[in-house]
Amino acid sequence: MDRVALRGLKARGHHGVFPREREEGQTFIVDLVLHLDTRSAAADDDLAKTVHYGVVAEEVVDVVQGEPVDLIETLAERIAQQCLKHEAVAEVEVVVHKPDAPITVPFDDVTITITRSRA
């Protein structure tokens, strides 16, 4: 499988279990690796035979900005399912970063990484 990667997609969402997270919101960062076969698209130089990563990026931002969830695990799952709606995408790896998580000790980042495929 070939890979198309999008790194550092940023959007503000209202996800989390605490009222403050839901009220104020925070920035989430998403990294994606889309697994697909790009040979046909490359041979024909045809966007319709691959995945339009600009559209995927917009859809992912819409998910992050959309309906709040308690867990970043749930958010990652929703993002993965949105990516798999694209016919060319056979598998997706999603990393959701929550750099402003409500943790009381110094830290750099909190992430969840999931991989989902057409089964």
Side-chain angles (χ1 to χ4, degrees):
M1 280 288 132
D2 305 314
R3 296 174 300 191
V4 173
L6 289 93
R7 306 269 188 223
L9 296 171
K10 293 179 185 174
R12 191 159 186 83
H14 293 266
H15 311 290
V17 296
F18 298 113
R20 181 171 161 229
E21 294 178 289
R22 291 292 183 104
E23 292 165 10
E24 296 177 13
Q26 60 192 293
T27 299
F28 293 85
I29 302 166
V30 178
D31 302 324
L32 300 173
V33 178
L34 308 169
H35 298 260
L36 60 153
D37 186 342
T38 64
R39 287 177 288 194
S40 179
D44 296 338
D45 198 27
D46 186 353
L47 178 60
K49 294 182 177 181
T50 186
V51 63
H52 190 311
Y53 50 80
V55 170
V56 171
E58 291 171 359
E59 292 171 348
V60 168
V61 166
D62 287 345
V63 171
V64 174
Q65 293 175 339
E67 181 184 348
V69 296
D70 288 343
L71 304 177
I72 58 173
E73 291 86 344
T74 306
L75 182 59
E77 184 67 34
R78 287 184 177 180
I79 291 167
Q81 293 309 314
Q82 181 61 47
C83 293
L84 289 171
K85 289 180 181 179
H86 293 269
E87 187 176 330
V89 178
E91 184 174 277
V92 61
E93 179 180 285
V94 177
V95 181
V96 175
H97 301 257
K98 189 174 178 180
D100 299 320
I103 296 175
T104 60
V105 297
F107 74 102
D108 289 329
D109 198 5
V110 173
T111 67
I112 176 73
T113 302
I114 66 170
T115 302
R116 298 292 181 268
S117 60
R118 298 182 187 281

